[in-house]
Amino acid sequence: MSANMDAVRTAYQRAIKRKDAAADHEKSSPRGGKPSDVSGDTRRWGNVPIFLVALIAAGIALRILNLTLDASLWEDEVFSVALAESPLIDLLFAALRFDTHPPLYYVQLHMWAAFGDSDRWYILNSTLLSIAAVAAIYEACRRVYDRSVALWAAAIFAVMPLQLFFAENVRMYPMLAILEIALWYVLQTMARDRHASRGRLIAALCFGLAVTLTHGLGFFVSFFLFLHAAIRLRRAAPGRDLLFLVGIYVVVALAALYPLVIGAIRQTEGVAGFDLPTIGIHLTLTLLGLEFPWPTVAGFLMLPLVTLLPLSEPRARWPGGLLVLLPLAVLLAISLLFKPVFIYRTLGLFLPFLAISLALYADAVFKAHAIAQRVVVSAVVLLMLAGGLNYTLKFEKRGYREIIAAWEAQSPTDAVLMTNGPSEFWAVLRYLNNGEGRRSALEVQPPVRDGMLRIKQKLEGVGAASLGLFGRSNYAQVGNRRIYPYFAEDVASGLSAFWTLNPPKAGCALANAGIGADVSGYREDADISLSGHHLTECRNLRFGPKA
């Protein structure tokens, strides 16, 4: 009996889908029955699939090329690797202690680190995830729409310059893209079939939690994806299914408390005022990539082409309006009114949906007598490809390997080095003496003060000091060298000479490095500059001139 009822339900759902498809086709056609210029024509593509496959291949080739050309880690990547190489419990506490992002990505990278620890191995993780995201957006769009839309979406996503940047950075963005696409697909199938089955609800819960716990603004993406699905499901099948979907989102929203609380107390990056040139730069970085010419204006010129044009295609209005334009506008409003979050990396969270909305528009105009629109779409996609090529040729990471090797060769074996925070400190430990000094991210930390000091005292008062949340030492020793994760004025005052990595001011003028630091007695003795980094040797004049 149960099997018969399932068969009846399945047949009914299929009949509804055929009826809806016929209604949509009728709406898209004028009274005479002839398809409209934009979305009704189903003529053959010609060579379009070959062009799109070539774009996908080009995007994958550029990812692999970037992996082979520049296998170095910059500041944020060193942060990711240091957490990934820590014991799992330390990783979770270190993410809570130092980062604005939840720890799910670092846990994934921790498992990846079990099989290798070279710079290129870690970058390979992001490269493979980025290629998998291209495959994911193709398969999701093929199931939701058709093969032609899927090819367009995969091709556009593959050549997006910012996605190339994400593919060679050891950060959470490629993994997050896969999770976003998966969540979008599950929610879309609910709305399309007018039914929220138990399996789909569980999948939506899992992917929603994963998105929320992968990035500090993952909850923001989840909100718009669930909102999009709820509006469509309410229009198609109001009732119990919609209530179930809302209930699932409530659980996801509760998980958002972690990034919301952490984000509220930590400093964030982004546009802090209505500064048009800076806004333009972040739009350019998002849409055309790093190192693109005329960055203050290029993004403003590109924005209407990729966001407003798709709104003329009915199928693209939902993803383009609710999953691209509205989130970007809200991010800007939050930055202007509350806290800086409008930055190219957070704008990039919505690029999968920009690719989908552009794909729907491109598929429509290439199947219609719309020559002008075809030219515009082709120009936009080729401009993205040009931005990706420009990024590959011009962008160079500010890795730490060369500068640390130079310091190791030119400094005494008992030298002391002061750094500017955890990431630079972990970079020194990673590359000095072939990584001999690598250790848990929690083990060495600078002394805490103000609010953190009060939290530390409260934890010690309840016997939680053994967790090591605030470190066990304030410096690391590698051989006879000592490395500090901050400018230790009390230590520097007792040394005849010490080194600083990327000092805030030239000439050993380090007053900004510590509160109350007396730096009038220091003089620059040596300087090393490599890969955009600077090492300065400072001599303490109290000990007299260098012998």
Side-chain angles (χ1 to χ4, degrees):
M1 181 69 178
S2 176
N4 290 336
M5 291 300 296
D6 289 342
V8 169
R9 173 179 287 184
T10 302
Y12 173 76
Q13 290 175 351
R14 288 175 178 172
I16 289 294
K17 287 164 63 178
R18 287 194 295 269
K19 180 179 178 181
D20 290 344
D24 291 342
H25 179 77
E26 183 177 351
K27 288 179 182 178
S28 65
S29 303
R31 290 188 177 181
K34 183 180 177 181
S36 68
D37 285 345
V38 176
S39 59
D41 195 354
T42 58
R43 296 181 302 119
R44 292 179 60 85
W45 283 20
N47 294 323
V48 173
I50 298 174
F51 169 68
L52 297 178
V53 170
L55 287 175
I56 295 171
I60 293 173
L62 286 174
R63 284 163 170 78
I64 296 172
L65 180 62
N66 288 333
L67 171 67
T68 59
L69 288 180
D70 190 12
S72 60
L73 304 181
W74 66 301
E75 188 172 357
D76 284 358
E77 295 176 285
V78 170
F79 185 99
S80 298
V81 169
L83 265 63
E85 292 184 342
S86 300
L88 186 58
I89 297 300
D90 284 9
L91 182 159
L92 298 175
F93 282 124
L96 182 66
R97 172 71 177 87
F98 296 112
D99 204 9
T100 58
H101 300 297
L104 186 59
Y105 166 74
Y106 302 120
V107 173
Q108 178 272 144
L109 197 63
H110 175 80
M111 293 185 288
W112 180 264
F115 302 97
D117 63 356
S118 69
D119 290 0
R120 184 169 275 112
W121 176 252
Y122 285 112
I123 298 171
L124 178 63
N125 178 264
S126 292
T127 302
L128 293 179
L129 287 173
S130 183
I131 294 172
V134 175
I137 201 170
Y138 171 85
E139 184 61 19
C141 289
R142 186 189 68 81
R143 293 175 179 231
V144 172
Y145 303 111
D146 54 41
R147 186 175 69 91
S148 61
V149 174
L151 279 174
W152 273 109
I156 293 169
F157 190 76
V159 299
M160 283 180 163
L162 191 60
Q163 294 301 324
L164 298 179
F165 172 73
F166 290 157
E168 66 162 327
N169 275 263
V170 188
R171 297 296 287 163
M172 65 283 299
Y173 299 98
M175 173 178 161
L176 183 61
I178 295 174
L179 296 173
E180 289 176 355
I181 293 164
L183 178 58
W184 172 82
Y185 167 71
V186 171
L187 295 174
Q188 280 291 112
T189 56
M190 288 186 196
R192 180 195 64 192
D193 297 342
R194 303 181 177 186
H195 178 55
S197 67
R198 179 182 300 177
R200 287 173 179 170
L201 288 170
I202 293 174
L205 173 63
C206 293
F207 287 126
L209 289 173
V211 169
T212 300
L213 296 176
T214 297
H215 189 277
L217 282 175
F219 73 90
F220 189 75
V221 180
S222 294
F223 168 78
F224 282 101
L225 286 171
F226 274 93
L227 177 64
H228 176 235
I231 292 174
R232 293 194 61 202
L233 194 60
R234 182 179 183 276
R235 295 175 63 190
R240 188 179 63 176
D241 287 342
L242 179 60
L243 291 177
F244 286 155
L245 181 63
V246 172
I248 290 296
Y249 176 70
V250 169
V251 178
V252 174
L254 289 174
L257 290 175
Y258 179 105
L260 279 171
V261 171
I262 297 298
I265 62 177
R266 293 201 187 280
Q267 185 177 357
T268 56
E269 296 180 282
V271 176
F274 194 69
D275 182 353
L276 284 178
T278 304
I279 293 172
I281 288 172
H282 286 291
L283 290 174
T284 300
L285 295 176
T286 304
L287 302 174
L288 296 168
L290 284 74
E291 306 295 339
F292 197 84
W294 313 295
T296 57
V297 297
F300 284 118
L301 297 176
M302 188 69 165
L303 184 64
L305 295 177
V306 298
T307 59
L308 299 183
L309 273 181
L311 298 184
S312 63
E313 162 58 27
R315 291 191 302 172
R317 286 172 189 162
W318 278 105
L322 201 55
L323 299 180
V324 179
L325 274 176
L326 183 58
L328 299 191
V330 174
L331 281 174
L332 181 59
I334 293 173
S335 281
L336 297 179
L337 299 175
F338 302 105
K339 195 175 184 69
V341 291
F342 190 90
I343 189 173
Y344 69 96
R345 294 192 296 271
T346 55
L347 302 184
L349 302 183
F350 295 92
L351 286 181
F353 315 116
L354 178 62
I356 291 170
S357 64
L358 268 175
L360 290 166
Y361 176 73
D363 179 63
V365 301
F366 268 82
K367 288 180 177 178
H369 300 286
I371 303 301
Q373 291 97 318
R374 291 184 186 183
V375 171
V376 173
V377 168
S378 300
V380 166
V381 176
L382 292 176
L383 191 58
M384 288 183 180
L385 177 60
L389 289 169
N390 178 73
Y391 163 78
T392 298
L393 293 173
K394 292 185 177 181
F395 180 75
E396 184 177 352
K397 284 186 184 179
R398 297 176 65 243
Y400 289 89
R401 183 187 299 274
E402 292 80 6
I403 192 73
I404 301 306
W407 180 67
E408 185 175 359
Q410 298 182 35
S411 65
T413 57
D414 60 349
V416 174
L417 176 61
M418 314 281 185
T419 64
N420 283 316
S423 293
E424 289 192 346
F425 171 75
W426 293 330
V428 176
L429 298 187
R430 178 170 182 79
Y431 297 116
L432 184 62
N433 284 10
N434 295 318
E436 176 188 323
R438 283 190 278 186
R439 60 201 69 202
S440 166
L442 278 181
E443 186 171 328
V444 179
Q445 297 182 35
V448 293
R449 58 178 185 267
D450 303 330
M452 282 295 180
L453 179 58
R454 289 191 292 271
I455 293 175
K456 180 182 179 181
Q457 291 168 344
K458 289 180 180 179
L459 288 174
E460 291 173 345
V462 297
S466 60
L467 296 175
L469 188 61
F470 295 96
R472 302 173 183 90
S473 173
N474 67 337
Y475 73 93
Q477 185 149 344
V478 182
N480 291 324
R481 291 183 171 93
R482 282 183 290 161
I483 300 94
Y484 289 81
Y486 67 110
F487 179 72
E489 168 61 16
D490 56 333
V491 176
S493 62
L495 297 172
S496 61
F498 59 91
W499 292 77
T500 61
L501 178 58
N502 294 323
K505 293 184 179 181
C508 292
L510 303 173
N512 290 339
I515 295 178
D518 177 14
V519 297
S520 58
Y522 302 124
R523 181 189 68 197
E524 180 179 337
D525 251 16
D527 181 78
I528 304 173
S529 295
L530 283 172
S531 303
H533 297 289
H534 304 282
L535 273 164
T536 301
E537 184 183 20
C538 297
R539 182 152 301 278
N540 192 333
L541 297 180
R542 300 187 190 96
F543 288 82
K546 184 176 181 180

